[in-house]
Amino acid sequence: MDLVVYSLKKLYKIFRNEVLVLPSRVIVALFFIALLGLPLVTRDPYIIRIVILTSIFAIFAASWDLLSGFTGQMNFGHALFFGVGAYSSALINLHAHIPPWGSVPLGAIAAVLAGLIVGIPCLRLKHTYLALTTLAFPIILTGIIFALPDYTGGELGVSGITRFTNSLLGNYYLHVVTMLTLAVIMWKITDSNTGIIFHAIREDELAVKASGINTTFYKLLAFSLSGLFAGIAGGLYAHYMRIAGPSTLEVSMSFMVVIWAIFGGAATIYGPIAAVFILFPLLEFFRFWPEYRTMIFAAVVLVILLYMPEGIIHWIRDKIEKECPRCKIRNVATRKSCRICTADLD
Amino acid sequence: MAEPLLQVESLSKSFGGLKAVDDVSFRMEQKEVLGLIGPNGAGKTTLLRLITGILKPDRGSVRFKGKELVGRSIWNIVNLGVACTFQNMRPFRRMPIIANVMVSCLSPRSSTRGEWVKKIENKAMDALEFAGISDMALEKASVLSQGDLKRLEVARAIATDPELLLLDEPFGGLSPAETDLMAKSIRRLHKGGRFGRLHSEGPAMIIVEHKLHQLMKIVDRIIVLNFGTLLDEGTPEEVVNNPRVIEAYLGKGGD
Ligand SMILES: Nc1ncnc2c1ncn2[C@@H]1O[C@H](COP(=O)(O)OP(=O)(O)O)[C@@H](O)[C@H]1O
Ligand SMILES: [Mg+2]
């Protein structure tokens, strides 16, 4: 009994010292709690469905950020990985009768291969050429899919695949917990030494090489990891919607992910995720006025990009927190002195 | 004769019709400090870039400890023990200064050579300390002055633990006081020893520089480039008294 009380006290202490000190961490904690607790408040199938799809696209957006936000390899054809993940897991599920637990990871591996196939020719490309080349890949795959309707279902896509589970709550927690887990993993990757190298590649690739780093390896690693996470998102999408169709490869999918990431703030992982959680439900909400939907959406995005070039999350964070000029630790904006080194904050 | 540390043979590189480096040959011994001088546009930077693999030569060979460097990738050459700095500094601007150096510490060469250093942060910090900018470790590289960027270049290069260090105008754009500091650091590095957790064997160096009177205090030998070709080679005194060198410079750069 004492042990339990002791552990709880300790947990509370960690929570108080590590989470409650910074508004941004409080928000992240609230986000986790809200997502995990939502079914206690409502089990409306419509809302549950939107949150599930939002979670899937959040994984997708974060995976773009891992590649393009961090290493600066602008991928304008990110839908390729999503589509390859969706189609592969759907076909594996349909023909090999492997349940989603197996087909989604296998589909993700296919997306890793796609990442390498795109990554290798892109190693030597930069800027516009890289953008145009990546843009072409999903279009080429769409062409192949239309050319082989016997295997791919052509325009109709691959349907008749199984779901993970038919339970509303089961599906909800599966997708939400997967999203939260993958988000933490992706954030951890970018926060590691590998993340430092990714970041440095974005800044100056030649200088990274001159530091003795094999940039080819790290760029391909970024392409593969990005493909892996986007492929998981695609597989989840296919099994949840019970169809993998050519819409997963559409140019608009590729552009959407770029908009999400830049809206939220590139090279943060949490920025794009937050952006999807703001923009995707908003887009659903505007469904009530279909004639204005796209226009309002475009206006919101434009305003953000014009006034918050680093993304909305950075903008908010700079309002509620400030960085200590001396030790670079973040503090609540209301504090007068740094919580670690007590330096003056103004 | 013992194998030289570096042997450059008939190295040539043209840009279009311009022969930037034309049939250059020289050799360097272990621990030697070599000055590389010549008027602007003589091909000094190009020569360094050929050695480090940033540029591929049209002809010729570069052997480092008996290994051919031509055809290898830049990072491969760095991991063999040849590090360089960039004349017009290329920091990772939006990253903290310490992270700039951590990238070098993450190279295979650096990470196997200080195995007993658990945290690469510590190693990076020692490189910064050596270069004299450790007090700004957490600032973004974009806030650094010209002089401090030069130091960052040096810190990044020595963090790879080189056996041959190529410095491209380490005093370029520095004030006299900063120049003295940098010269002191270079001499200290060459002497070798422990700098915190950083261990220097005292690398051999090629130093490209215009400030001849500073350079002469550091180097053992000087080679002179003019229009891409080797004009002269000898001790600092021999070189500065050679009429052809004086003529090539026409008073420019030297003092
Ligand atoms: N990448 C390049 N493309 C074309 N010309 C170049 C390039 N790099 C250098 N040059 C030319 O080669 C010559 C030698 O340049 P450089 O090696 O930078 O001289 P230095 O460092 O001795 O001042 C110069 O005329 C320069 O204009
Ligand atoms: Mg030069």
Side-chain angles (χ1 to χ4, degrees):
Chain A
M1 197 58 217
D2 275 356
L3 197 70
V4 174
V5 173
Y6 175 76
S7 316
L8 279 178
K9 267 190 179 159
K10 189 143 192 193
L11 254 170
Y12 171 71
K13 209 167 162 193
I14 291 175
F15 187 73
R16 202 187 55 193
N17 292 342
E18 297 296 324
V19 178
L20 290 185
V21 288
L22 273 186
S24 58
R25 292 187 191 162
V26 174
I27 292 173
V28 171
L30 287 178
F31 177 70
F32 272 69
I33 294 169
L35 272 184
L36 295 174
L38 180 77
L40 299 176
V41 184
T42 170
R43 296 189 182 182
D44 182 316
Y46 177 67
I47 292 177
I48 295 287
R49 179 190 153 90
I50 288 182
V51 178
I52 289 176
L53 288 176
T54 307
S55 297
I56 293 172
F57 285 117
I59 300 171
F60 183 48
S63 74
W64 183 87
D65 199 29
L66 188 60
L67 172 65
S68 304
F70 276 85
T71 70
Q73 309 294 303
M74 279 296 160
N75 185 353
F76 281 103
H78 203 57
L80 178 78
F81 305 150
F82 192 82
V84 167
Y87 269 97
S88 309
S89 59
L91 289 170
I92 289 167
N93 177 255
L94 193 67
H95 296 299
H97 305 294
I98 294 176
W101 302 104
S103 66
V104 170
L106 287 174
I109 291 171
V112 171
L113 292 180
L116 290 174
I117 291 170
V118 179
I120 289 169
C122 288
L123 281 175
R124 293 173 167 278
L125 300 176
K126 282 203 165 62
H127 312 302
T128 332
Y129 296 100
L130 180 72
L132 286 177
T133 309
T134 52
L135 182 61
F137 277 97
I139 298 173
I140 294 169
L141 186 61
T142 310
I144 295 173
I145 283 169
F146 284 159
L148 302 168
D150 294 345
Y151 304 97
T152 61
E155 273 177 62
L156 298 175
V158 182
S159 52
I161 53 185
T162 55
R163 270 194 169 171
F164 273 93
T165 158
N166 280 321
S167 122
L168 184 82
L169 276 190
N171 261 319
Y172 180 80
Y173 279 108
L174 173 82
H175 289 91
V176 164
V177 170
T178 306
M179 185 276 293
L180 293 175
T181 312
L182 295 184
V184 171
I185 292 174
M186 279 188 262
W187 182 76
K188 275 283 175 201
I189 292 173
T190 60
D191 200 41
S192 70
N193 291 339
T194 306
I196 290 180
I197 294 176
F198 282 176
H199 222 129
I201 289 176
R202 178 179 81 163
E203 295 292 293
D204 190 333
E205 195 178 333
L206 179 63
V208 180
K209 288 182 189 170
S211 303
I213 304 289
N214 182 341
T215 49
T216 301
F217 170 80
Y218 281 96
K219 276 161 79 174
L220 288 181
L221 180 67
F223 269 102
S224 322
L225 285 172
S226 181
L228 177 76
F229 293 112
I232 295 175
L236 291 176
Y237 182 79
H239 285 284
Y240 181 66
M241 303 299 279
R242 305 193 61 201
I243 184 164
S247 68
T248 56
L249 288 162
E250 267 175 5
V251 174
S252 63
M253 277 282 280
S254 297
F255 282 164
M256 202 52 124
V257 76
V258 180
I259 292 173
W260 284 329
I262 292 172
F263 178 93
T268 58
I269 297 295
Y270 51 79
I273 293 176
V276 177
F277 272 86
I278 297 168
L279 292 181
F280 193 80
L282 200 67
L283 206 59
E284 282 297 320
F285 179 67
F286 286 144
R287 202 164 278 223
F288 297 120
W289 304 286
E291 57 272 37
Y292 300 119
R293 187 172 169 221
T294 321
M295 210 179 71
I296 295 175
F297 181 77
V300 170
V301 171
L302 264 181
V303 166
I304 297 287
L305 292 188
L306 279 178
Y307 292 98
M308 308 165 193
E310 294 212 52
I312 190 169
I313 301 304
H314 266 284
W315 186 82
I316 293 175
R317 201 164 106 153
D318 287 342
K319 295 276 172 242
I320 56 178
E321 292 177 1
K322 53 192 170 189
E323 197 180 72
C324 168
R326 194 159 84 190
C327 68
K328 309 291 168 197
I329 294 282
R330 299 194 77 86
N331 287 276
V332 193
T334 49
R335 276 189 81 106
K336 292 272 174 286
S337 63
C338 173
R339 68 192 158 96
I340 302 293
C341 72
T342 68
D344 251 346
L345 287 177
D346 305 294
Chain B
M1 200 157 47
E3 193 174 46
L5 180 72
L6 184 77
Q7 180 145 26
V8 172
E9 257 172 77
S10 351
L11 207 58
S12 301
K13 176 76 184 179
S14 301
F15 297 110
L18 178 87
K19 287 180 172 168
V21 171
D22 189 11
D23 199 28
V24 169
S25 307
F26 65 94
R27 52 186 283 158
M28 271 179 85
E29 306 305 327
Q30 302 276 349
K31 298 224 168 203
E32 194 178 1
V33 183
L34 188 68
L36 174 57
I37 64 170
N40 264 328
K44 305 178 297 291
T45 298
T46 306
L47 180 57
L48 294 196
R49 293 183 153 222
L50 290 172
I51 296 173
T52 51
I54 296 175
L55 288 172
K56 301 278 168 250
D58 303 330
R59 249 173 312 110
S61 87
V62 180
R63 297 179 80 77
F64 175 69
K65 298 206 292 183
K67 289 196 182 95
E68 179 62 58
L69 297 188
V70 174
R72 287 179 192 263
S73 58
I74 304 169
W75 64 79
N76 195 215
I77 292 173
V78 174
N79 286 308
L80 286 175
V82 182
C84 67
T85 64
F86 291 101
Q87 180 181 348
N88 31 0
M89 296 80 82
R90 305 183 66 143
F92 309 123
R93 288 188 190 280
R94 283 173 292 182
M95 293 168 69
I97 289 157
I98 185 156
N100 271 257
V101 183
M102 278 164 71
V103 174
S104 299
C105 294
L106 288 166
S107 68
R109 178 182 176 88
S110 181
S111 36
T112 53
R113 294 194 132 216
E115 219 161 354
W116 44 284
V117 183
K118 285 282 178 335
K119 283 195 156 172
I120 63 158
E121 288 91 333
N122 294 339
K123 205 164 165 183
M125 205 59 197
D126 287 332
L128 286 177
E129 197 140 329
F130 173 80
I133 46 173
S134 58
D135 51 335
M136 290 188 280
L138 297 175
E139 304 285 343
K140 293 270 189 299
S142 54
V143 307
L144 287 182
S145 67
Q146 193 82 351
D148 290 334
L149 280 176
K150 286 275 174 198
R151 288 173 214 259
L152 177 57
E153 284 285 328
V154 173
R156 283 203 309 199
I158 63 172
T160 65
D161 204 353
E163 246 173 286
L164 173 61
L165 179 60
L166 313 178
L167 299 170
D168 201 344
E169 304 203 7
F171 309 140
L174 299 197
S175 69
E178 286 176 322
T179 304
D180 279 342
L181 264 174
M182 179 66 88
K184 225 180 251 167
S185 305
I186 292 173
R187 276 198 297 268
R188 198 151 60 95
L189 178 69
H190 182 246
K191 252 198 258 148
R194 270 263 190 77
F195 308 109
R197 276 147 292 211
L198 194 78
H199 187 77
S200 166
E201 307 269 1
M205 300 186 205
I206 301 181
I207 306 175
V208 172
E209 196 37 74
H210 283 297
K211 296 184 178 164
L212 287 186
H213 74 117
Q214 277 288 357
L215 186 69
M216 283 172 64
K217 284 189 264 176
I218 307 176
V219 300
D220 307 319
R221 198 157 58 95
I222 288 183
I223 59 176
V224 188
L225 273 189
N226 195 24
F227 297 115
T229 56
L230 213 58
L231 185 70
D232 192 20
E233 180 174 355
T235 63
E237 289 72 29
E238 283 166 17
V239 165
V240 290
N241 292 320
N242 181 339
R244 279 165 60 212
V245 175
I246 298 167
E247 192 195 304
Y249 263 87
L250 277 172
K252 190 173 55 176
D255 48 313

